[in-house]
C-alpha cells in the first residue's frame, strides 16, 4: 500500500488572502475543475460544501480556484447536498438537519428561493437522474419524503418502520424496529431507491419517477407512488451510513453501503437471489462511497473515504482492492464525489477544512490538489461536510 506524503496546493486569488502553507508544494494553476473527456456529463464549474455549524454552503469556483463571495446562508444544520440534474443545473438542494427542511438554492443569485418542510432530522437527499423526483431520509421519523422536483412539494411520505418478530410470549405485541435511515441513492433510472439504515438494514424502494402529480384545477395525472419492496439485513453491521449505486448497461444495480463503526463495506447485487448482502472488512472507518465512470459513462470503479486513516481507497465494482490507498493530505475525509465526466474525484476533509481533488487521468490517482479553506475569514470556518458538483451557468 502506498500513502503519498506531499500534496499540491491550489493557487488562490489574492483577494481572499489565501496562501499555500506547505513548504515545497507546487500550485495547480489549471484550477480544480479540469474535466476533459466526453460521455454525456458536464464539466465541473463549481464545488459546494456544507458548513454545518454556520448554517451555510460554501461555493468554490473550480476553474479559477477561488471561493465565491460569502457563504450561502441556507438554514439550521445543513447536512446533505445534491444538484438538480436537469438541463442547466440551476438549483442546489440542501438538507438542513436541525431545521427539518430542504433549502432550494437558485445558483444564479445564490439565494434560497424555496424551503420545503420534510420529516424530523433529515440527513441526505437523492434526486432521480430524470430530475423529476427527490428523496429525503428523515432519521428520527424512520421515513423517506418524496419530493416532486418541478413543483418542489412533498407528494409522499414513506414509513420504513416494520414490526420485529414476536418473542413467543402469549399476547405479546410486536415492537417497532427503529431503522433510522441515513444515506440514500437512486439507480440510473430512478425506478429503484436504496436507503442505508443505521438500524442495520438496506431498504429498497421502487416506483415510477416519471409519474405526475395532480395539476391545479386541471386533469389529475398519475400520482407519484413509491413503496418499500424489500429490506435486506446487513449482517455484522453496527451503524450503516452511506450508500452508492452502480447500474450496469444491462440494467442491474450493484449497491454499496459503508459502515465506519464496523469497519465494513456491504455489497448487494439487485439481480442476485441472495437474501443477504456480501460483506468486506475494510480497516480505517469507511465513511462515504462513490462510483466512478469511464468516458462512455459506464461504471468502472468505486471510491471509499477512510476517515480514521486519512485516505481514499479505490476498488473494482466487485470491491476487489485496486491500486492503493491514497493519502488525502488532510484529516477526516468524509464526503466523496466523482465529477460527471468521470475525470476527477473530490473529497471533503472535515477535520482540516480542506477539499482534496484527485485527477483520474493520471496513472492511478497520484497526488491530490488541496483547496485550503483554513485561512479563510474565521467567520467562514466550520467543518466541511457533504459535497455537490455543478456546471457553469451560461446566460
Amino acid at each position: 500500500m502506498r500513502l503519498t506524503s506531499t500534496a499540491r496546493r491550489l493557487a488562490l486569488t489574492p483577494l481572499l488572502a489565501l496562501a499555500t502553507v506547505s513548504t515545497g508544494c507546487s500550485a495547480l494553476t489549471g484550477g480544480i475543475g479540469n474535466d476533459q473527456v466526453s460521455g454525456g456529463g458536464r464539466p465541473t464549474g463549481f464545488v459546494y460544501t456544507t458548513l454545518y455549524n454556520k448554517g451555510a454552503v460554501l461555493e468554490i469556483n473550480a476553474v479559477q480556484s477561488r471561493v465565491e463571495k460569502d457563504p450561502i446562508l441556507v438554514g439550521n444544520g445543513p447536512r446533505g447536498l445534491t444538484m438538480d440534474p436537469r438541463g442547466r443545473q440551476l438549483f442546489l438542494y440542501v438538507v438542513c438537519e436541525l431545521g427539518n427542511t430542504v433549502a432550494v438554492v437558485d445558483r444564479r443569485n445564490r439565494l434560497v428561493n424555496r424551503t420545503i418542510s420534510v420529516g424530523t432530522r433529515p440527513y441526505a437527499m437523492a434526486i432521480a437522474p430524470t430530475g423529476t423526483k427527490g428523496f429525503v431520509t428523515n432519521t428520527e421519523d424512520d421515513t423517506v419524503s418524496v419530493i416532486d422536483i418541478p413543483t418542489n412539494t412533498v407528494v409522499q411520505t414513506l414509513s420504513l418502520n416494520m414490526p420485529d418478530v414476536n418473542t413467543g410470549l402469549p399476547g405479546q405485541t410486536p415492537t417497532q424496529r427503529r431503522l433510522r435511515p441515513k444515506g440514500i441513492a437512486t439507480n440510473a433510472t430512478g425506478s429503484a431507491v436504496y436507503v442505508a439504515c443505521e438500524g442495520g438494514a438496506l431498504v429498497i424502494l421502487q416506483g415510477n419517477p416519471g409519474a405526475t402529480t395532480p395539476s391545479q384545477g386541471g386533469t389529475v395525472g398519475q400520482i407519484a407512488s413509491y413503496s418499500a419492496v424489500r429490506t435486506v439485513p446487513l449482517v455484522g453491521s453496527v451503524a450503516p451510513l452511506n450508500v452508492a449505486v452502480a447500474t450496469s448497461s444491462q440494467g442491474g444495480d450493484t449497491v454499496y453501503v459503508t459502515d465506519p463503526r464496523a469497519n465494513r463495506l456491504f455489497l448487494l447485487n439487485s439481480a442476485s437471489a441472495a437474501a443477504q448482502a456480501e460483506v468486506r472488512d475494510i480497516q480505517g472507518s469507511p465513511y462515504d462511497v462513490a462510483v466512478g465512470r469511464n468516458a462512455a459513462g459506464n461504471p468502472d470503479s468505486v471510491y471509499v473515504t477512510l476517515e480514521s486513516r486519512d485516505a481514499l481507497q479505490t476498488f473494482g465494482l466487485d470491491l476487489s482492492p485496486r491500486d492503493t490507498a491514497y493519502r488525502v493530505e488532510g484529516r477526516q475525509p468524509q464526503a466523496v464525489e466523482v465529477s460527471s465526466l468521470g475525470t476527477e474525484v473530490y473529497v471533503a476533509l472535515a477535520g482540516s477544512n480542506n477539499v482534496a481533488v484527485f485527477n483520474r487521468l493520471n496513472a492511478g490517482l497520484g497526488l491530490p490538489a488541496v483547496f485550503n479553506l483554513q485561512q479563510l475569514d474565521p467567520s467562514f470556518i466550520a467543518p466541511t461536510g457533504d459535497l455537490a458538483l455543478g456546471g457553469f451557468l451560461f446566460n
Side-chain angles (χ1 to χ4, degrees):
M1 178 178 65
R2 179 184 66 206
L3 290 175
T4 61
S5 59
T6 304
R8 295 173 295 168
R9 301 282 172 176
L10 294 178
L12 304 174
T13 61
L15 179 62
L16 292 171
L18 300 179
T20 57
V21 296
S22 295
T23 303
C25 294
S26 60
L28 181 64
T29 57
I32 58 178
N34 296 310
D35 290 312
Q36 299 295 327
V37 298
S38 61
R42 295 183 50 160
T44 298
F46 292 91
V47 180
Y48 299 88
T49 185
T50 52
L51 302 178
Y52 188 87
N53 295 336
K54 301 300 180 184
V57 171
L58 198 64
E59 181 182 60
I60 302 169
N61 186 312
V63 173
Q64 297 180 13
S65 301
R66 62 183 173 86
V67 173
E68 290 291 308
K69 303 178 183 179
D70 295 329
I72 304 169
L73 299 179
V74 292
N76 200 3
R79 172 69 72 181
L81 287 176
T82 192
M83 189 67 63
D84 184 350
R86 298 175 297 169
R88 296 171 59 200
Q89 297 179 321
L90 297 181
F91 301 104
L92 175 71
Y93 287 75
V94 187
V95 176
C96 297
E97 181 180 33
L98 302 182
N100 301 328
T101 59
V102 173
V104 184
V105 175
D106 189 325
R107 295 177 57 215
R108 294 163 294 187
N109 57 23
R110 306 179 74 253
L111 294 174
V112 174
N113 75 349
R114 180 144 187 173
T115 299
I116 306 169
S117 295
V118 288
T120 307
R121 298 297 290 246
Y123 183 84
M125 180 174 179
I127 297 179
T130 57
T132 54
K133 297 296 180 292
F135 309 88
V136 180
T137 54
N138 304 307
T139 302
E140 291 302 317
D141 288 351
D142 286 347
T143 62
V144 171
S145 298
V146 182
I147 296 174
D148 181 68
I149 296 299
T151 61
N152 284 328
T153 56
V154 175
V155 293
Q156 189 178 10
T157 300
L158 287 170
S159 175
L160 302 184
N161 274 333
M162 61 191 67
D164 277 339
V165 177
N166 274 329
T167 61
L169 299 176
Q172 177 100 17
T173 300
T175 58
Q176 291 293 319
R177 176 185 178 187
R178 289 300 312 277
L179 287 180
R180 298 181 60 82
K182 289 285 192 174
I184 190 166
T186 79
N187 65 359
T189 64
S191 61
V193 182
Y194 300 91
V195 186
C197 297
E198 196 174 47
L202 176 71
V203 177
I204 304 174
L205 314 178
Q206 287 185 351
N208 177 13
T212 58
T213 54
S215 59
Q216 295 181 352
T219 303
V220 176
Q222 182 183 10
I223 298 177
S225 179
Y226 278 76
S227 59
V229 298
R230 185 179 176 192
T231 299
V232 180
L234 300 178
V235 178
S237 66
V238 175
L241 186 61
N242 288 308
V243 60
V245 183
T247 302
S248 72
S249 56
Q250 289 75 36
D253 297 334
T254 304
V255 187
Y256 309 93
V257 181
T258 64
D259 190 334
R261 291 172 58 184
N263 283 309
R264 284 180 171 145
L265 284 172
F266 295 89
L267 179 152
L268 179 72
N269 189 322
S270 66
S272 172
Q276 295 184 352
E278 299 178 36
V279 61
R280 304 283 192 275
D281 291 325
I282 307 293
Q283 294 304 310
S285 305
Y287 188 92
D288 196 14
V289 56
V291 175
R293 292 169 173 79
N294 57 25
N298 298 318
D300 68 353
S301 52
V302 177
Y303 298 92
V304 179
T305 50
L306 304 179
E307 186 180 27
S308 66
R309 289 180 57 197
D310 298 333
L312 177 70
Q313 177 73 63
T314 61
F315 298 89
L317 295 179
D318 61 353
L319 290 186
S320 56
R322 274 188 186 170
D323 298 330
T324 184
Y326 295 92
R327 189 177 296 280
V328 294
E329 301 303 329
R331 300 187 305 276
Q332 288 183 268
Q334 293 190 348
V336 57
E337 287 285 341
V338 181
S339 62
S340 62
L341 296 184
T343 57
E344 293 173 336
V345 183
Y346 295 77
V347 179
L349 309 176
S352 53
N353 295 299
N354 296 338
V355 174
V357 189
F358 292 90
N359 193 330
R360 294 184 71 206
L361 296 180
N362 297 327
L365 291 182
L367 302 177
V370 179
F371 193 88
N372 188 354
L373 306 180
Q374 286 181 305
Q375 296 185 52
L376 289 170
D377 184 304
S379 65
F380 288 13
I381 296 302
T384 53
D386 203 6
L387 289 172
L389 311 177
F392 280 102
L393 296 173
F394 299 99
N395 293 329

